[in-house]
Amino acid sequence: MFAALAAIIIAAVLKGIGRIAFALAAGVLCGICRFPWQNADLLQAQYYYGQNVVISGTVATAPETKEKDLRVVIEAISFNYSTTALKSQVYLMIPASQTVVIGRSDRITVRGGFQEGFGNYAGFLYRPELISVQKPRPPDWSWQIREWFGETIHARLARDEAGLALGYLYGDKASLSDELNEEIRTVGLSHLIVTSGFHLGLIVSFARKVFGKISRHFSLFGSFVLILGFIAITGFSASMARAGIMSMITLSAWLVGRKLHPARSIFYAAAIMVFVRPDFLTNLGSLLSFSAYSGIIFVVPLLNKYFYGSAPVSKIAVAFFPSIAAQLICLPLNIYYFGRIPITGILASMIISPLIAPTMLLTVLAAFSPFCASATQLFLSLHLKIIHFFAGIPWGSVETDAGNLQAFLLYLPIVAVLLYLFWCTGHRYRPRFSPLEKSPDYGKI
């Protein structure tokens, strides 16, 4: 802990790359100091492996309804009616026959055989008996808003169109049918069904246009309120944590009239996440989120410089290059975790990605206007036809073994290509302005 505090003090004094390195080191060291407490919870959970237990916990994320079961993640767990709560998460597959409405923040109690977990889950229960469901007091208002909106969209759109719309808007994978979810994985578009900085970017742009007419401080306050509200509705996932932290860091710098380079903010966000939740950086959603954003801020400038030089970048490149960069950097991770090589994934992402922003806007309007619902239905039908087309190509996806570390060897040719582009373009990642230079609109309303 003393080493972590020393790193924080040094980070406050240093400048440039040294500040970034020590800030990240401080977060990692603090996370390591916190790990023994989290590991102690995991060891207590391991004691119950293979036993028939009664376990209580709070529903952490939106439950996923499948044909035969309801899949729920619980946290703040306790065993056999103990008053001691562990911070570990447990994955449940509750039989669909036990038709009880379960929502986020509910406190549920189940009985069943406790098995060893997978990923970041401390344990797993397959088809346990549901004993009780306790609703939170006061109720989770953000979950109720999400449920109302989801029910309205499902009432006005067809099943697959509604599921895809809610997936785009706030990462609701539970609304996707098993068939559509499998097609999305086959095509390699799973990264589109996740909330990220793209969503928060739209929210911040809206807040600055609306509230910025009043004052800079009111614009910052409005942005923070909308960001926190959106995170409350979608859930505090790893990808949303990354996007939210980076947005707030950038907005705070903007308030004082400063520019903060994205390469710096991503390291600061990583340091904060490791400090708060050390397990976030081993979370798949977090890894994909950091990888995709790293591709956008490091690869896209090389592509722009290589193909356009000092000339203005075309609108087509602005729409397509981020999709190519994100897919490229996330490719080894997708192969390792999903065991599938999406050969046509980059092309499918290039076609669909530019259409997501207008689709999200139409989805919001569809909840309030039947006319917009009809337009949204037609627009999403086009998305589904594109997904069906690429998923139906026999050679469009190649199956491989998941969990094979050799997948990460793909980063060698990827890095080689990036080094070649770097050598050809002579691109300087260090911005021409100082990383905390005053922005042109400093002092303006």
Side-chain angles (χ1 to χ4, degrees), residues 190-335:
S190 297
H191 65 287
L192 299 180
I193 313 298
V194 62
T195 49
S196 63
F198 174 74
H199 299 74
L200 296 188
L202 296 176
I203 291 174
V204 170
S205 298
F206 171 79
R208 290 181 63 175
K209 288 181 180 178
V210 175
F211 302 118
K213 297 177 181 178
I214 302 175
S215 71
R216 294 173 65 87
H217 291 86
F218 202 82
S219 176
L220 179 72
F221 176 76
S223 299
F224 274 26
V225 169
L226 291 178
I227 288 173
L228 294 175
F230 186 75
I231 293 176
I233 292 173
T234 59
F236 192 67
S237 63
S239 59
M240 281 307 300
R242 193 275 308 165
I245 292 171
M246 291 191 63
S247 297
M248 291 182 178
I249 291 174
T250 304
L251 284 169
S252 299
W254 168 80
L255 176 66
V256 295
R258 304 290 182 175
K259 290 182 179 180
L260 186 64
H261 196 269
R264 291 175 177 269
S265 60
I266 194 171
F267 283 108
Y268 293 150
I272 295 173
M273 287 180 64
V274 173
F275 172 73
V276 176
R277 288 282 300 273
D279 60 311
F280 262 3
L281 290 188
T282 60
N283 180 279
L284 176 58
S286 177
L287 292 174
L288 289 174
S289 178
F290 272 102
S291 299
Y293 189 76
S294 297
I296 292 173
I297 64 175
F298 291 115
V299 179
V300 171
L302 292 178
L303 296 176
N304 291 339
K305 194 75 175 291
Y306 183 79
F307 288 101
Y308 292 92
S310 57
V313 181
S314 69
K315 293 182 179 179
I316 297 177
V318 170
F320 290 159
F321 281 176
S323 298
I324 296 173
Q327 283 270 20
L328 189 66
I329 302 301
C330 291
L331 181 60
L333 286 171
N334 283 320
I335 296 174

Side-chain angles (χ1 to χ4, degrees), residues 389-410:
F389 171 77
F390 282 102
I393 299 177
W395 49 267
S397 177
V398 177
E399 298 288 338
T400 184
D401 295 332
N404 190 342
L405 292 174
Q406 293 181 357
F408 293 106
L409 293 177
L410 284 174

Side-chain angles (χ1 to χ4, degrees), residues 61-242:
T61 59
E64 294 187 30
T65 303
K66 300 299 181 181
E67 294 182 0
K68 298 182 179 180
D69 52 60
L70 182 69
R71 302 181 183 184
V72 182
V73 176
I74 60 174
E75 60 185 4
I77 60 173
S78 60
F79 291 92
N80 299 328
Y81 302 106
S82 170
T83 57
T84 301
L86 308 181
K87 294 181 179 180
S88 304
Q89 291 187 333
V90 173
Y91 193 86
L92 310 177
M93 294 178 65
I94 302 173
S97 58
Q98 303 183 38
T99 54
V100 177
V101 177
I102 297 177
R104 193 180 64 197
S105 301
D106 290 355
R107 186 74 180 178
I108 67 173
T109 302
V110 297
R111 180 188 290 110
F114 191 59
Q115 305 175 34
E116 182 178 356
F118 54 92
N120 289 330
Y121 301 119
F124 168 68
L125 278 83
Y126 178 71
R127 303 182 73 81
E129 174 192 356
L130 182 61
I131 298 176
S132 66
V133 178
Q134 296 178 349
K135 298 296 180 180
R137 293 289 183 272
D140 187 344
W141 61 267
S142 59
W143 173 255
Q144 292 181 346
I145 293 175
R146 173 172 169 154
E147 284 291 275
W148 168 82
F149 187 87
E151 291 172 359
T152 304
I153 293 299
H154 275 287
R156 294 186 173 179
L157 301 180
R159 180 189 178 189
D160 283 345
E161 283 80 355
L164 190 60
L166 297 177
Y168 286 157
L169 190 61
Y170 50 72
D172 186 8
K173 296 182 180 180
S175 297
L176 298 174
S177 64
D178 292 340
E179 296 78 10
L180 179 57
N181 196 24
E182 181 61 27
E183 287 185 342
I184 290 174
R185 288 185 178 182
T186 300
V187 178
L189 298 178
S190 297
H191 65 287
L192 299 180
I193 313 298
V194 62
T195 49
S196 63
F198 174 74
H199 299 74
L200 296 188
L202 296 176
I203 291 174
V204 170
S205 298
F206 171 79
R208 290 181 63 175
K209 288 181 180 178
V210 175
F211 302 118
K213 297 177 181 178
I214 302 175
S215 71
R216 294 173 65 87
H217 291 86
F218 202 82
S219 176
L220 179 72
F221 176 76
S223 299
F224 274 26
V225 169
L226 291 178
I227 288 173
L228 294 175
F230 186 75
I231 293 176
I233 292 173
T234 59
F236 192 67
S237 63
S239 59
M240 281 307 300
R242 193 275 308 165

